[in-house]
Amino acid sequence: SQTIHQWPATLVQPVGSPLSLECTVEGTSNPNLYWYRQAAGRGLQLLFYSVGIGQISSEVPQNLSASRPQDRQFILSSKKLLLSDSGFYLCAWRTSGGTDTQYFGPGTRLTVL
Amino acid sequence: AQSVTQPDIHITVSEGASLELRCNYSYGATPYLFWYVQSPGQGLQLLLKYFSGDTLVQGIKGFEAEFKRSQSSFNLRKPSVHWSDAAEYFCAVGFYNAGNNRKLIWGLGTSLAVNP
């Protein structure tokens, strides 16, 4: 069966510090991968998606970047965090060429102080 | 443009009462439709989905949803709510973007509270 992991689970970082959040998927090959941000009391905002290694599409211009160095690894990064980067970050995957069903990881709570 | 609307930001029901959460969408083609649930501090869990066929779909935890093309709706229902159903519920629609990639459009969610 497929599983998706995110770490860390929680993170408190000062403004201006770098960021690296990791997402890995097990039990599937060549998944489509997604990074979402969920601000308090808000819906899901799609940040990036990837259909393959090294292939990243950005949905919203921002302070963040994403990379996919391996088939089942998706990384969200920032060189300098802003207060507005605080939120709940969710990684999701779906089967390439399959239905639209996305499966979510447990999320990372990021607080920028 | 495609959009998903969940008209109710917050709903409170008594335990044992019936529940209906509304979802309306705007999409030119036949949609793929989803309902997800999120407990506080957790990721999203798929409740049910509609792709084609029977317009009444059954999901996990006793939930069901009905696709009504004429009303562009996909409302979620449960006949008897349990206290553990208190959570955030999200409706989503699948579509192809300009790059021919599949994505989901999300509603803003409905927060469900259950009174004992």
Side-chain angles (χ1 to χ4, degrees), chain B residues 5-111:
Chain B
T5 302
Q6 293 182 244
D8 304 304
I9 297 173
H10 186 87
I11 286 181
T12 300
V13 299
S14 297
E15 190 169 18
S18 63
L19 171 70
E20 183 171 34
L21 302 182
R22 296 182 291 163
C23 174
N24 294 97
Y25 66 90
S26 174
Y27 183 53
T30 300
Y32 290 173
L33 298 161
F34 304 84
W35 275 100
Y36 286 82
V37 61
Q38 184 182 31
S39 297
Q42 304 294 315
L44 277 72
Q45 181 182 24
L46 179 69
L47 280 177
L48 47 78
K49 57 191 176 186
Y50 171 79
F51 294 150
S52 64
D54 192 346
T55 56
L56 183 63
V57 294
Q58 303 296 321
I60 62 171
K61 304 185 180 186
F63 285 92
E64 65 177 26
E66 185 171 13
F67 169 53
K68 293 185 177 180
R69 186 186 302 276
S70 61
Q71 298 178 21
S72 297
S73 68
F74 189 55
N75 293 349
L76 182 71
R77 301 193 295 250
K78 187 170 184 178
S80 177
V81 172
H82 188 263
W83 65 266
S84 60
D85 293 324
E88 190 87 15
Y89 291 80
F90 292 94
C91 180
V93 174
F95 75 107
Y96 279 103
N97 70 354
N100 205 34
N101 290 308
R102 300 294 304 188
K103 296 197 305 182
L104 294 179
I105 312 170
W106 295 87
L108 292 181
T110 297
S111 177

Side-chain angles (χ1 to χ4, degrees), chain A residues 4-94:
Chain A
I4 178 169
H5 305 280
Q6 287 186 247
W7 61 86
T10 60
L11 190 61
V12 180
Q13 292 285 89
V15 169
S17 65
L19 172 73
S20 181
L21 304 182
E22 188 167 344
C23 170
T24 58
V25 181
E26 297 176 356
T28 187
S29 296
N30 194 32
N32 285 8
L33 296 171
Y34 304 82
W35 277 113
Y36 290 91
R37 177 169 58 202
Q38 190 177 27
R42 303 286 299 276
L44 281 78
Q45 179 186 33
L46 179 62
L47 302 175
F48 301 94
Y49 68 93
S50 171
V51 298
I53 296 175
Q55 300 179 63
I56 309 295
S57 295
S58 175
E59 288 294 299
V60 181
Q62 59 209 318
N63 186 43
L64 302 170
S65 62
S67 61
R68 185 170 177 175
Q70 301 180 42
D71 182 44
R72 293 184 290 270
Q73 184 184 34
F74 204 23
I75 296 173
L76 184 69
S77 304
S78 174
K79 293 182 179 179
K80 290 185 177 181
L81 283 169
L82 306 173
L83 286 174
S84 58
D85 291 323
S86 293
F88 192 53
Y89 288 82
L90 290 159
C91 181
W93 72 273
R94 76 169 186 90

Side-chain angles (χ1 to χ4, degrees), chain A residues 97-110:
Chain A
T99 68
D100 290 346
T101 306
Q102 293 183 17
Y103 300 95
F104 284 80
T108 294
R109 172 72 60 192
L110 172 66

